[in-house]
Amino acid sequence: MSDLDDLSEAFSKDPIDLTPQDIETVVQFFRSQYMVSSNQTGQTVRKSAKPKGKQALSAQMLEDLNNIPLGDLIGD
Amino acid sequence: MPTIRQSELADADRCPRLYFFNWVVPQAATAGTYHTAFGSLFHLGVETYYKLKARRGHELAMRVAVKRVMRASHKFVGENSKNRFTLVRSVVFYCEHYRRQQLCAKTFQGRAFVEYRVELDTNIPSFTGESWIISCGLDRIMEETFSDYIIDIKTTKFTLDDKFFDTFKRDVQTFTYTLACNTLKNPPSGIMIEGVQLLVNDTRFQRKPIDIPSHVVEDWANNSLPQILTTLDKSFTTGIWPQHLPSCNTRYGPCRYFDLCHMPAHEIEDQIGCTIREATAAHLTATQNKTTTIVR
């Protein structure tokens, strides 16, 4: 499947079925778009901010993404 | 003490009848525009990002913001430049764009000053005899090396040029924020507008401090604000909500209540499901019963 297919799948899912991998697909896709866009408009892009393509999330980040209850942020 | 939100005040200033439809009869307000919905959802993403960024860093904060916005926007449709896709894209672009910014969300004991509420005592008497309180929800307070700024996000389809930023130099929200700044222990040095321009294939960002001479704010606080609140007070007690005709057509098109507003009174009452006086009386009681603590 292409990046676009993965993205389309993530957007068509019921929100409660979204997995960390779906979120990662969305983030990486738009991050790449941002890099292209910021280069075109002459905005500064640092080398370290270049898209790294699809890569596995670290175990810690996967755990964090699953464990932060969204409702808890509201009254923060 | 009777309390109104800053956004209520802005509507009351624009048109008493608009205030009535938006705040007195919420059943009429359910038809909010997608512009408002888009703005609220984008704010949700940015708010989530800054709350978490302070404690957990950029990468995780961005992903949680995306997750939260994707969940909240599941049924959001919108149009060409403001839809669910451009919304999520804009949240990612925003986080990437400002990830290394010099301005950081001000924090206290590890918590960011995001969606920070300030209550402003106007000392203008209301229908209860107590003074009106204006409640201001600040998007966030950011700190620079030498000064703090109140940041307010504005999403738009228009170009982020001087003309865009100049509209906020004479704006009820900017004025109330300026007054609210002065009530804080360490007053921020000003207000900065964070413009977000939505295009079909791109989202652009531009920040600019809004410089308002102090005499302009004082003039508004001393002369215009009492007038707005007195008019509102009168509508609360009489149940009469006059139209302000110049507000019927805005730069974005006709007011969203245009059709409803120009119906005969009995048809308006059919639409809202009660009489205008009944709705006003219920709202009056609710406003009267709001308890507010002044925070400084």
Side-chain angles (χ1 to χ4, degrees):
Chain A
M1 286 222 298
S2 70
D3 284 356
L4 218 53
D5 290 334
D6 289 342
L7 186 78
S8 168
E9 195 187 322
F11 269 86
S12 60
K13 274 190 177 178
D14 196 287
I16 52 166
D17 295 332
L18 282 169
T19 64
Q21 202 54 56
D22 292 325
I23 302 297
E24 192 58 18
T25 300
V26 172
V27 166
Q28 293 298 350
F29 180 85
F30 287 129
R31 179 178 260 172
S32 308
Q33 270 206 343
Y34 172 74
M35 293 308 159
V36 174
S37 159
S38 58
N39 280 332
Q40 278 173 351
T41 52
Q43 293 166 14
T44 309
V45 180
R46 299 185 189 192
K47 277 187 177 179
S48 57
K50 279 184 179 173
K52 291 170 185 166
K54 266 193 182 177
Q55 57 183 14
L57 279 173
S58 72
Q60 184 60 49
M61 199 176 276
L62 268 173
E63 200 185 321
D64 285 347
L65 196 54
N66 271 333
N67 291 343
I68 291 179
L70 300 181
D72 285 1
L73 290 166
I74 296 167
D76 211 0
Chain B
M1 291 165 118
T3 304
I4 58 166
R5 295 180 187 191
Q6 166 276 317
S7 40
E8 287 183 64
L9 185 71
D11 283 349
D13 180 39
R14 205 166 296 139
C15 170
R17 187 74 65 88
L18 172 70
Y19 179 93
F20 175 76
F21 287 131
N22 256 351
W23 302 98
V24 180
V25 281
Q27 63 270 36
T30 49
T33 65
Y34 64 82
H35 298 290
T36 319
F38 188 96
S40 303
L41 288 163
F42 184 76
H43 271 76
L44 179 76
V46 173
E47 174 193 342
T48 306
Y49 174 69
Y50 280 110
K51 276 184 177 172
L52 269 183
K53 190 187 178 192
R55 287 178 283 165
R56 310 296 294 271
H58 164 78
E59 294 293 332
L60 183 69
M62 175 167 63
R63 284 162 177 80
V64 176
V66 166
K67 185 179 174 183
R68 197 172 184 200
V69 167
M70 284 192 79
R71 283 192 171 186
S73 64
H74 183 49
K75 290 181 180 168
F76 179 66
V77 181
E79 47 76 79
N80 277 352
S81 64
K82 290 185 176 179
N83 53 49
R84 190 171 180 233
F85 185 84
T86 61
L87 170 72
V88 179
R89 179 194 72 199
S90 301
V91 170
V92 176
F93 277 30
Y94 179 94
C95 299
E96 286 293 305
H97 187 80
Y98 289 120
R99 65 185 294 181
R100 289 185 180 83
Q101 62 190 341
Q102 281 189 314
L103 275 166
C104 295
K106 195 177 172 69
T107 53
F108 178 69
Q109 293 180 343
R111 301 227 160 171
F113 281 89
V114 178
E115 294 299 312
Y116 187 68
R117 196 153 281 282
V118 177
E119 313 291 354
L120 177 69
D121 188 346
T122 62
N123 291 318
I124 297 168
S126 69
F127 53 89
T128 65
E130 299 166 297
S131 61
W132 279 103
I133 303 294
I134 302 171
S135 175
C136 304
L138 312 177
D139 282 354
R140 65 186 188 279
I141 299 178
M142 305 288 275
E143 59 185 356
E144 262 192 327
T145 314
F146 299 110
S147 52
D148 297 341
Y149 283 97
I150 287 177
I151 305 276
D152 196 53
I153 301 173
K154 300 289 180 195
T155 54
T156 179
K157 287 196 267 188
F158 296 100
T159 308
L160 302 175
D161 53 10
D162 287 346
K163 196 178 160 194
F164 169 78
F165 288 102
D166 284 350
T167 56
F168 303 104
K169 288 184 177 173
R170 300 291 180 269
D171 180 71
V172 170
Q173 186 184 34
T174 323
F175 289 166
T176 44
Y177 281 6
T178 306
L179 294 172
C181 275
N182 300 332
T183 67
L184 297 173
K185 255 184 189 169
N186 300 307
S189 49
I191 296 154
M192 197 175 295
I193 296 292
E194 211 165 68
V196 180
Q197 186 192 8
L198 280 311
L199 303 167
V200 175
N201 294 315
D202 200 2
T203 307
R204 292 179 185 161
F205 307 94
Q206 178 83 40
R207 270 181 186 154
K208 200 171 175 187
I210 300 299
D211 185 26
I212 311 167
S214 57
H215 73 268
V216 172
V217 181
E218 279 168 27
D219 185 4
W220 179 80
N222 294 333
N223 300 309
S224 301
L225 180 60
Q227 194 65 39
I228 300 167
L229 290 173
T230 306
T231 306
L232 186 64
D233 220 70
K234 202 172 168 188
S235 291
F236 268 53
T237 48
T238 61
I240 296 168
W241 302 89
Q243 293 165 323
H244 180 59
L245 293 177
S247 299
C248 288
N249 287 296
T250 69
R251 65 188 284 207
Y252 305 109
C255 168
R256 64 179 152 136
Y257 298 112
F258 188 92
D259 293 337
L260 179 63
C261 184
H262 293 87
M263 286 177 178
H266 70 274
E267 284 185 32
I268 294 177
E269 291 179 341
D270 281 350
Q271 293 285 328
I272 63 175
C274 60
T275 68
I276 292 170
R277 283 183 191 279
E278 282 168 356
T280 306
H283 186 69
L284 183 74
T285 311
T287 307
Q288 219 163 351
N289 292 340
K290 274 184 198 165
T291 52
T292 299
T293 313
I294 309 292
V295 182
R296 293 216 164 92

